[in-house]
Amino acid sequence: MDLVREDDMPQYAVLIYPAADDAQAGPEVLQAHDRHAAELERSGGLVAAFALEPDATATSIRADAVTDGPFVDAKEVVAGFYVIEAPDLDAALRIAGANPAVAQGGGVEVRPVEGSFVRPTAGG
C-alpha cells in the first residue's frame, strides 16, 4: 500500500537531540520549544509532533531480551520528533535548524519520510 501520494509535498522527520543537561533544565527550555512548535504550526508546515518521556522511561526489546533504558547506550538520546512538509531537503534543513535544541547545545537530525500513517482521532 502506497501511503504517500506522489503529488504531496515531501515530508521530513526532525529528531530532537537536546543538550545533555536539558533533563535538568528549567521551564525556559520547554517554553522555547513550545514557541518554536507554535511558529511551525502557524507556517502550515507542521504535520505532527511528539515529545517523548525521558530516556530513563524507555524499555528496549532485542531478540528475546527486554531491558530498561534506551536501545543504545549513548550520550545523545532522542527527546522528541516532529514531521514537517518542505519543498526540498535544503528548505527542511533551514526549518529544522531553527529548533531551539540547536541553540541550546543539542542538535537535530533531519530524515526524509518514506511513508506515514496517523490513526484518525475517535471524533474525526
Side-chain angles (χ1 to χ4, degrees), residues 12-59:
Y12 298 88
V14 180
L15 288 73
I16 304 166
Y17 295 88
D21 60 352
D22 270 5
Q24 306 302 322
E28 66 279 353
V29 170
L30 293 177
Q31 290 170 354
H33 285 279
D34 288 345
R35 284 191 302 274
H36 179 65
E39 291 169 11
L40 288 174
E41 190 173 357
R42 279 192 300 275
S43 77
L46 184 64
V47 175
F50 302 89
L52 302 175
E53 291 286 333
D55 62 322
T57 65
T59 302

Side-chain angles (χ1 to χ4, degrees), residues 2-120:
D2 188 10
L3 299 176
V4 177
R5 296 189 322 264
E6 290 184 26
D7 60 335
D8 284 353
M9 185 175 301
Q11 294 181 342
Y12 298 88
V14 180
L15 288 73
I16 304 166
Y17 295 88
D21 60 352
D22 270 5
Q24 306 302 322
E28 66 279 353
V29 170
L30 293 177
Q31 290 170 354
H33 285 279
D34 288 345
R35 284 191 302 274
H36 179 65
E39 291 169 11
L40 288 174
E41 190 173 357
R42 279 192 300 275
S43 77
L46 184 64
V47 175
F50 302 89
L52 302 175
E53 291 286 333
D55 62 322
T57 65
T59 302
S60 298
I61 302 171
R62 297 182 192 196
D64 61 349
V66 177
T67 60
D68 291 335
F71 189 69
V72 294
D73 186 20
K75 292 189 325 186
E76 293 183 327
V77 178
V78 176
F81 63 95
Y82 53 96
V83 177
I84 57 172
E85 290 182 329
D88 54 41
L89 179 59
D90 289 336
L93 292 173
R94 282 192 301 277
I95 294 166
N99 187 287
V102 175
Q104 295 165 348
V108 296
E109 176 182 336
V110 178
R111 296 176 65 179
V113 172
E114 185 172 327
S116 62
F117 171 81
V118 178
R119 182 185 71 204

